[in-house]
Amino acid sequence: MKILVPVKRVVDYNVKIRVKPDGSGVELANVKMSMNPFDEISVEEALRLKEAGKAEEVVIVSIGPAKAEETIRTALAMGADRGILIETDETVEPLAVAKLLKGVVEAEAPGLVIVGKQAIDDDSNQTGQMLAALLGWGQATFASKLELGADKATVTREVDGGLQTIDVKLPAIVTTDLRLNEPRYASLPNIMKAKKKPLDKKAPADFGVDVAPRLKVLKTEEPGGRKAGIKVKSVAELVDKLKNEAGVL
Ligand code: AMP
């Protein structure tokens, strides 16, 4: 089986996000960019399935600027087999990403697509679900455990009430949650080897997808500062403050 893993290039999770002075978005110039953390977890899971003999090939796909090649190379250095870069300088929204991924799925025919739960820049949590809907495939979102059978995946999902285990028929879309695994680091020899692994370059037009944004960002601003907290001595005092000071009860 072939596993397809989409990876997004995002601002590194350690970077303190700064809003551009004109409020038109967040500062991306000279900011460290990395693979979306949920996508690292997806790559790791795909590699573990391959190492367990459940998959033959792990294919990475990214939609983004030319520099997204670095993100694909990181996944190749972790152990993935080959990459596909769909190059565009537009900000591509989840629906357009899902349409492009549908095109890649139709061309590659993977048995499983492992998508991140959400991208930490737009926090949409939409792409995997939209891709499943466009393909008419089953989906298991927020996976904290994934087992592959011959024709189904058994997925434990993190839901509000705790954990839920479901079976989903293959081919399917699985989206990854934080506790699924701990991604490996790429070793230096593997980083060198990854430079020679195959990487195909495509454009959104190759899939007949218009990636022009449908949403308009009106303004981006910093969240307001938070007031300092206080300690209360008893539950009665807490309830009193919630009722009479905060007005939330
Ligand atoms: P989102 O729906 O934007 O929160 O993203 C969820 C997941 O979709 C990410 O973790 C990625 O696996 C995938 N994804 C989103 N945007 C891209 C992109 N530009 N290129 C590749 N994968 C993407």
Side-chain angles (χ1 to χ4, degrees):
M1 182 205 286
K2 190 190 283 185
I3 302 180
L4 183 70
V5 183
V7 300
K8 186 175 188 187
R9 180 176 188 264
V10 297
V11 175
D12 188 273
Y13 72 96
N14 284 310
V15 168
K16 175 151 182 4
I17 303 292
R18 278 176 296 121
V19 171
K20 281 189 194 163
D22 66 0
S24 63
V26 300
E27 199 60 76
L28 294 179
N30 302 319
V31 166
K32 182 172 184 243
M33 306 290 284
S34 302
M35 190 189 306
N36 182 44
F38 290 99
D39 302 345
E40 284 183 353
I41 295 171
S42 307
V43 175
E44 176 65 36
E45 196 64 18
L47 295 175
R48 288 187 190 186
L49 288 168
K50 186 180 169 191
E51 285 158 2
K54 307 252 172 168
E56 287 84 48
E57 194 184 24
V58 176
V59 181
I60 305 298
V61 53
S62 190
I63 298 141
K67 284 209 156 185
E69 176 171 344
E70 289 168 11
T71 315
I72 297 177
R73 295 271 174 219
T74 305
L76 298 179
M78 287 169 75
D81 298 289
R82 62 187 170 88
I84 302 166
L85 170 63
I86 305 177
E87 203 178 318
T88 170
D89 288 325
E90 286 274 11
T91 302
V92 188
E93 291 166 1
L95 182 58
V97 171
K99 287 180 181 169
L100 289 167
L101 293 177
K102 177 176 183 262
V104 176
V105 166
E106 282 164 355
E108 294 284 340
L112 182 68
V113 185
I114 310 184
V115 186
K117 166 171 98 168
Q118 72 197 63
I120 62 164
D121 51 1
D122 61 21
D123 269 342
S124 295
N125 181 354
Q126 292 175 347
T127 307
Q129 295 88 328
M130 286 176 166
L131 177 61
L134 291 175
L135 288 167
W137 287 12
Q139 56 177 300
T141 50
F142 320 146
S144 63
K145 190 170 172 211
L146 167 60
E147 277 166 337
L148 269 195
D151 57 357
K152 64 169 190 182
T154 302
V155 177
T156 302
R157 311 178 54 229
E158 299 202 355
V159 291
D160 282 350
L163 297 176
Q164 177 196 39
T165 301
I166 59 167
D167 281 344
V168 59
K169 202 164 92 19
L170 296 175
I173 311 292
V174 170
T175 78
T176 53
D177 218 322
L178 276 183
R179 277 158 289 271
L180 182 59
N181 61 47
E182 253 189 54
R184 69 195 66 186
Y185 290 104
S187 66
L188 192 57
N190 285 347
I191 292 173
M192 302 312 288
K193 268 193 231 156
K195 291 188 198 256
K196 298 206 182 86
K197 288 190 177 175
L199 195 151
D200 250 10
K201 290 194 183 161
K202 305 258 183 210
D206 296 337
F207 299 91
V209 176
D210 175 11
V211 294
R214 294 174 172 216
L215 303 175
K216 195 168 147 204
V217 175
L218 299 179
K219 198 170 166 204
T220 307
E221 48 185 34
E222 298 269 357
R226 292 177 73 177
K227 280 203 224 136
I230 54 161
K231 273 192 179 169
V232 290
K233 290 200 176 65
S234 66
V235 174
E237 191 188 347
L238 174 65
V239 172
D240 177 66
K241 285 198 185 298
L242 289 175
K243 233 187 220 164
N244 301 319
E245 283 182 24
V248 292
L249 285 184

